[in-house]
């Protein structure tokens, strides 16, 4: 294991650009939001100042309305599409105009609570919590305008699970007219069979153009978007982050933040119940534009375990994961291998992602589900031993997929092995 940790640290250091890390050289040459926050967990085990810097840099690029963008284009790189000119958000340091799963609140609490330098941790947490809290408030204000307790995603890229089967039907309603010619760059860095399709890319870009035409005004985007999906995994991350912020803020004497965060978390947990499916034994996405649940057996509904959901729901999710464990060799597949849409190589339509395994296991830990946690963590280590620090892996064959030498995969290994 020492050798594996040494290797993982090498990956982090190779992808370190000073004040931020890139997910991997070539395919993703900028700072990505949730990649950064989760990668900070890895740094924190051996370089706490560097871990804090990672999150500080991310929050330095927060918008005035509270949104924290999904990509920060720190330095030009023409090896990525869609770059800053496509987004046109008009920021001095260019960013995209959409967001990503808000794991930063969770990461800050975790890094703070186990810090060796507690003075530094206290200072950093005090500076970061108000910004993270403003981001969480932005979510409930702009992505849940009717106050349901659940936020909607307006672009599949916001979910982090870009081409999940979950979005297929809702995404089909996104038109492609007016999307001009463009050249994808991702397929020059990674095997096209591991990536989203050209048809999906046209729709990704249509949505970007639509939001750009509205001046990236977040008071307008929610109602104007034809794609509005509530993802249980995403909401679970937000709820968990609110809970973590509430807990830490209370200990740091930041009473108002603590109170408001707690209220958002409680409301979210209650609202999650509306997404539960007895039939599939997991949570489901909800298509807000159509007003119906999406019967898709994907990892989003299992990732819900990351939130403080009721114990009987955790128990049911453990059953669900055990069931998945019988039909693949490596937990947890991002889509049910028995479903017709399953594709073990294609990004979020089947492959295993270590960050998801980590978050699910962390949630189950709170409920004391030891046996399944050991299986999930053991599978993570076997995957990396067999196939290296890939972006994601085939849950049946362990084939390494997407980008190689991947920052958050390495960070998760450091986290698991400590
Ligand atoms: C990509 O470019 O594939 C990213 O996932 C978008 O965030």
């Amino acid at each position: 294991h020492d050798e594996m940790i040494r290797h993982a640290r090498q990956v982090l250091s190779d992808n370190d650009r000073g004040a931020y890390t890139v997910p991997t050289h070539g395919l993703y040459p900028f700072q990505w939001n949730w990649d950064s926050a989760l990668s900070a967990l890895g740094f924190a085990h051996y370089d706490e100042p560097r871990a804090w810097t990672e999150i500080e840099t991310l929050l330095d690029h927060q918008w005035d309305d509270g949104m924290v963008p999904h990509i920060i284009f720190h330095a030009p790189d023409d090896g990525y599409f869609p770059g800053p000119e496509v987004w046109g958000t008009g920021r001095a340091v260019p960013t995209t105009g959409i967001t990503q799963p808000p794991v930063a609140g969770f990461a800050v609490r975790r890094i703070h609570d186990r810090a060796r330098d507690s003075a530094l941790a206290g200072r950093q947490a005090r500076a970061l919590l108000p910004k993270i809290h403003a981001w969480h408030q932005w979510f409930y204000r702009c992505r849940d305008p009717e106050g349901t307790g659940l936020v909607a995603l307006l672009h599949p890229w916001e979910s982090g699970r870009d081409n999940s089967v979950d979005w297929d039907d809702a995404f089909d309603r996104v038109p492609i007219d007016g999307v001009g010619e463009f050249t994808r760059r991702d397929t020059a860095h990674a095997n096209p069979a591991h990536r989203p399709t050209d048809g999906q890319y046209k729709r990704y870009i249509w949505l970007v153009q639509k939001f750009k035409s509205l001046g990236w005004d977040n008071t307008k985007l929610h109602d104007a978007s034809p794609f509005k999906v509530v993802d249980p995994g995403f909401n679970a991350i937000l709820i968990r982050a609110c809970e973590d912020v509430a807990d830490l803020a209370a200990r740091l004497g930041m009473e108002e933040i603590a109170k408001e965060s707690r209220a958002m978390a409680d409301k979210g947990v209650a609202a999650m119940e509306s997404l539960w499916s007895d039939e599939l034994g997991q949570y489901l996405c909800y298509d807000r534009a159509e007003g119906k649940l999406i019967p898709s057996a994907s990892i989003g509904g299992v990732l819900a375990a990351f939130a403080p959901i009721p114990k009987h729901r955790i128990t049911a999710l453990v059953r669900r994961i055990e069931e998945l464990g019988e039909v693949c060799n490596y937990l947890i597949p991002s889509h049910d291998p028995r479903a017709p849409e399953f594709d073990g190589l294609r990004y979020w339509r089947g492959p295993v992602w270590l960050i998801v395994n980590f978050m699910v296991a962390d949630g189950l830990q709170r409920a004391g589900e030891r046996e399944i946690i050991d299986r999930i963590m053991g599978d993570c280590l076997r995957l990396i031993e067999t196939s290296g620090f890939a972006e994601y892996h085939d849950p049946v064959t362990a084939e390494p997929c997407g980008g190689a030498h991947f920052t958050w995969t390495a960070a998760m290994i450091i986290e698991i092995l400590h």
Side-chain angles (χ1 to χ4, degrees):
H1 287 166
D2 285 355
E3 176 58 21
M4 216 193 241
I5 292 182
R6 198 194 54 75
H7 193 168
R9 284 173 59 162
Q10 188 63 46
V11 172
L12 260 59
S13 125
D14 290 346
N15 292 335
D16 188 352
R17 298 292 176 270
Y20 67 96
T21 48
V22 299
T24 186
H25 173 79
L27 183 59
Y28 305 118
F30 313 107
Q31 183 176 25
W32 260 259
N33 186 326
W34 71 325
D35 290 74
S36 251
L38 291 170
S39 301
L41 292 172
F43 278 118
H45 286 285
Y46 59 96
D47 188 346
E48 285 174 5
R50 181 63 189 79
W52 289 117
T53 300
E54 188 75 26
I55 300 178
E56 252 185 316
T57 305
L58 175 66
L59 272 308
D60 278 350
H61 296 270
Q62 182 166 34
W63 286 21
D64 289 343
D65 65 1
M67 202 264 288
V68 181
H70 111 284
I71 304 175
I72 300 152
F73 299 105
H74 290 283
D77 189 309
D78 57 16
Y80 182 80
F81 175 86
E85 62 298 335
V86 180
W87 293 90
T89 56
R91 309 264 318 164
V93 174
T95 73
T96 62
I98 57 174
T99 191
Q100 248 188 341
V103 284
F106 157 76
V108 163
R109 182 202 172 162
R110 180 61 54 91
I111 296 169
H112 173 276
D113 286 1
R114 68 177 183 215
R116 289 173 299 275
D117 188 343
S118 47
L120 172 67
R123 276 198 311 280
Q124 287 286 0
R126 269 195 191 79
L128 292 168
L129 286 186
K131 298 181 186 185
I132 294 172
H133 181 55
W135 185 20
H136 296 168
Q137 289 180 309
W138 170 85
F139 270 115
Y140 289 112
R141 196 171 66 244
C142 295
R143 298 309 180 78
D144 181 24
E146 289 182 15
T148 66
L150 296 170
V151 302
L153 307 170
L154 307 185
H155 194 298
W157 285 342
E158 293 198 309
S159 71
R161 303 188 291 115
D162 300 7
N163 67 341
S164 169
V165 175
D166 291 349
W167 326 133
D168 285 359
D169 288 347
F171 210 34
D172 269 348
R173 291 196 307 272
V174 173
I176 52 171
D177 51 282
V179 174
E181 291 288 308
F182 58 81
T183 307
R184 289 176 62 175
R185 297 303 171 109
D186 57 310
T187 42
H189 301 289
N191 182 341
H194 299 174
R195 298 285 307 169
T197 63
D198 285 344
Q200 285 163 337
Y201 256 78
K202 287 199 181 111
R203 291 181 166 81
Y204 294 148
I205 298 308
W206 188 91
L207 285 172
V208 171
Q209 290 179 352
K210 171 79 180 171
F211 301 153
K212 187 177 170 183
S213 77
L214 295 170
W216 296 108
D217 177 348
N218 273 305
T219 63
K220 298 188 182 139
L221 265 44
H222 179 278
D223 291 351
S225 179
F227 182 87
K228 268 191 277 290
V229 177
V230 173
D231 171 12
F234 190 101
N235 277 275
I237 289 172
L238 176 56
I239 292 165
R240 173 64 185 271
C242 286
E243 191 202 49
D244 283 337
V245 166
D247 180 272
L248 182 52
R251 284 184 280 134
L252 295 174
M254 304 167 95
E255 297 302 339
E256 198 169 316
I257 292 183
K259 196 165 129 261
E260 289 169 359
S261 293
R262 171 73 50 206
M264 293 191 289
D266 289 349
K267 186 170 173 182
V269 170
M272 284 286 284
E273 269 305 290
S274 67
L275 305 177
W276 180 261
S277 161
D278 273 331
E279 199 183 325
L280 289 172
Q282 63 166 75
Y283 295 86
L284 299 180
C285 288
Y286 175 77
D287 188 335
R288 190 173 274 170
E290 294 277 286
K292 58 173 200 236
L293 287 170
I294 303 171
S296 165
S298 88
I299 193 68
V302 177
L303 179 52
F306 193 50
I309 53 173
K311 173 82 177 151
H312 68 286
R313 294 294 182 221
I314 290 277
T315 308
L317 289 176
V318 169
R319 297 291 92 78
R320 173 86 183 116
I321 298 167
E322 286 169 348
E323 187 182 283
L324 291 168
E326 283 164 23
V327 291
C328 68
N329 296 320
Y330 302 91
L331 285 171
I332 308 170
S334 49
H335 200 71
D336 191 322
R338 294 162 299 186
E341 310 88 352
F342 171 82
D343 182 340
L345 300 174
R346 208 180 275 281
Y347 217 28
W348 289 92
R349 299 177 77 85
V352 183
W353 292 72
L354 258 60
I355 46 129
V356 171
N357 281 6
F358 165 75
M359 288 187 278
V360 171
D362 186 89
L364 299 181
Q365 190 114 33
R366 290 156 37 110
E369 294 284 354
R370 201 59 254 169
E371 208 173 307
I372 193 73
I373 295 170
D374 290 345
R375 159 97 201 254
I376 296 170
M377 293 295 113
D379 286 0
C380 290
L381 297 179
R382 285 196 302 132
L383 275 176
I384 304 306
E385 267 155 24
T386 312
S387 302
F389 293 94
E391 185 178 2
Y392 43 97
H393 298 84
D394 185 307
V396 178
T397 66
E399 183 172 335
C401 304
H405 216 64
F406 217 84
T407 305
W408 71 7
T409 306
M412 291 300 100
I413 287 297
I414 297 173
E415 184 74 19
I416 291 168
L417 289 178
H418 273 87

